[in-house]
Amino acid sequence: MSRMQMLTSSRMGRRFLDSSFAAALATPHGVDRYVEMVDPLWSRTETRAEITDVERKTADSVTLTLRPNENWAGFKAGQFVKLSVEIDGVRRTRCYSPANSQFRKDGKIELTIKVDPKGLVSPWLLANARPGMIVQISPAQGEFHIPLPHPRSILLISGGSGITPVMSMLRTLTDRAYIGKVTFLHYAFTEDDVIYRDELAEIEAKYEGVRIIRAYTNADNGDLQGFFSKEHLVAADKHFAEAETYLCGPMPLMDGVRAVFEAEGISDRLHLEQFAAPTRTVPTDEATGELTFSASGEKADNNGQTILEQAEAAGLTPDYGCRIGICNACVSTKLSGITRNVLTGELNTDNDVNIKPCISAPCGDVSIDL
């Protein structure tokens, strides 16, 4: 190749690279993709977070510390976020409550996740979460938080992994130098199953107004033994009727606390967060019709289960988060047919309307955009 040919080729190459780069910047989101190559946390619209630390406080839990990008607007202690990760090329979303104080100085988020052996995301996080991994989180959601001004007396009740939102409340209250009374009643199988066992002991020793009550259902070395009862409630705080109570835990605990508060006529003082599926009000043994998944072209005989469950049984992988109708991750368009809310029994007869497949069951023929 002559010198002239080499110079011509070089100039053409530079022009090609310059034009390609300019074209990349001119395409939709071209700049975003370029910046993301340099900083994966950066996004104009999405809230992303880098995992900076991974701990395993108990045998069946994993604690992630996240450093969110500038799109994170913070949260109120007790609220939850939707965490999204990619597993085998499919984005999966679940709801988790931050456990840290809302006033944490470094701005990081702590999520403690109890592993469900039958689940998908929590076992994956236990096995694969590592520092440096980038995840996506939603803005904080939920009305489960302590109002301002704070009540003079606060009773926190939790069980198992339900400790996370109320632990956030406790940490937030101590950070604010709250001068009222806090009683924290926590249920676990044994002492080894208490996720924040050491920190709870430290908080109780440091703050005169905080009392920690440990109740173990499978051991006799706690402050209380067995399952929740009115006797437990009185033992934890004999003035419970004067406190604002915040509850999060498994359904048997939630149902037990609700029953006592209803019997005492103080349900208005009970505030709760629920991540377990409530008991259905609609039977599944009289199901008829056909369920059509229009986007995928699949069909299935209606078996009375929720649309989400039937979609999964048909081999589809629709997005979802909570599975109990609170996070809206699964919202899809019902094209035609009648559905029933399995929690309330309410019928939805409209066409071309958004519904929540996780709590909606078909009544006869239904077509949905999945």
Side-chain angles (χ1 to χ4, degrees):
M1 181 182 293
S2 68
R3 179 176 178 81
M4 181 60 71
Q5 289 174 319
M6 292 176 63
L7 287 172
T8 301
S9 177
S10 177
R11 290 174 185 140
M12 290 177 64
R14 283 197 298 271
R15 284 198 299 270
F16 175 78
L17 290 174
D18 291 344
S19 63
S20 296
F21 181 70
L25 294 180
T27 57
H29 308 297
V31 174
D32 291 15
R33 286 196 291 268
Y34 178 76
V35 175
E36 288 168 9
M37 292 176 65
V38 180
D39 181 7
L41 270 183
W42 187 89
S43 173
R44 287 190 298 177
T45 58
E46 292 182 349
T47 303
R48 299 175 183 171
E50 176 189 6
I51 298 177
T52 61
D53 191 43
V54 179
E55 295 181 80
R56 291 163 180 81
K57 297 179 182 292
T58 63
D60 63 348
S61 71
V62 58
T63 297
L64 310 178
T65 302
L66 310 178
R67 178 173 66 89
N69 65 11
E70 294 182 354
N71 294 328
W72 173 245
F75 75 106
K76 295 178 181 179
Q79 291 186 306
F80 68 90
V81 299
K82 291 185 282 188
L83 174 74
S84 297
V85 295
E86 188 172 298
I87 302 176
D88 297 330
V90 179
R91 175 176 289 189
R92 305 291 186 175
T93 302
R94 299 293 185 271
C95 299
Y96 301 113
S97 297
N100 56 286
S101 167
Q102 69 184 69
F103 302 114
R104 180 167 170 156
K105 293 180 180 179
D106 62 7
K108 293 182 179 180
I109 305 166
E110 179 181 314
L111 300 179
T112 292
I113 299 162
K114 186 172 182 179
V115 176
D116 178 1
K118 298 180 180 178
L120 175 63
V121 173
S122 58
W124 187 91
L125 288 170
L126 178 67
N128 297 281
R130 64 186 186 280
M133 181 180 291
I134 304 298
V135 298
Q136 184 177 340
I137 57 176
S138 72
Q141 301 177 43
E143 301 302 320
F144 183 65
H145 55 80
I146 299 175
L148 289 173
H150 293 328
R152 294 174 58 185
S153 179
I154 295 173
L155 172 59
L156 306 174
I157 304 177
S158 64
S161 60
I163 194 174
T164 54
V166 292
M167 189 69 189
S168 176
M169 291 178 175
L170 180 62
R171 286 167 160 174
T172 298
L173 290 169
T174 56
D175 277 356
R176 289 185 64 89
Y178 172 70
I179 59 174
K181 183 182 74 170
V182 180
T183 302
F184 191 167
L185 171 58
H186 179 67
Y187 285 82
F189 294 126
T190 67
E191 181 181 41
D192 292 337
D193 296 303
V194 180
I195 297 173
Y196 293 100
R197 181 180 63 191
D198 293 340
E199 184 178 349
L200 288 172
E202 292 170 4
I203 290 175
E204 185 176 32
K206 183 177 180 180
Y207 297 96
E208 183 178 350
V210 175
R211 183 179 181 217
I212 308 295
I213 309 297
R214 304 157 184 85
Y216 302 143
T217 58
N218 292 1
D220 58 5
N221 61 335
D223 301 305
L224 298 171
Q225 286 75 46
F227 296 96
F228 177 84
S229 64
K230 182 179 177 181
E231 290 70 28
H232 279 197
L233 187 59
V234 173
D237 184 358
K238 62 182 180 181
H239 301 296
F240 66 88
E242 301 172 10
E244 294 295 325
T245 299
Y246 297 85
L247 165 69
C248 186
M251 284 307 300
L253 173 61
M254 307 270 281
D255 291 340
V257 175
R258 274 188 291 223
V260 170
F261 273 66
E262 288 173 2
E264 295 294 316
I266 53 173
S267 294
D268 60 321
R269 289 188 173 272
L270 179 62
H271 317 275
L272 52 88
E273 183 69 280
Q274 182 169 288
F275 285 111
T279 302
R280 298 184 185 189
T281 63
V282 179
T284 62
D285 55 356
E286 298 179 359
T288 61
E290 185 176 62
L291 181 57
T292 300
F293 305 103
S294 63
S296 60
E298 297 290 333
K299 294 185 177 182
D301 291 333
N302 177 26
N303 62 15
Q305 292 184 306
T306 66
I307 293 174
L308 176 61
E309 291 169 323
Q310 295 193 59
E312 292 172 331
L316 306 184
T317 56
D319 197 13
Y320 68 88
C322 65
R323 300 185 77 98
I324 59 171
I326 64 174
C327 77
N328 298 317
C330 69
V331 169
S332 302
T333 301
K334 181 183 62 147
L335 302 175
S336 63
I338 300 174
T339 55
R340 187 188 301 271
N341 185 311
V342 299
L343 306 183
T344 66
E346 182 180 357
L347 292 176
N348 184 315
T349 61
D350 296 330
N351 295 332
D352 295 314
V353 63
N354 286 340
I355 63 169
K356 299 176 182 179
C358 68
I359 58 169
S360 299
C363 299
D365 295 333
V366 167
S367 177
I368 187 163
D369 188 22
L370 282 176

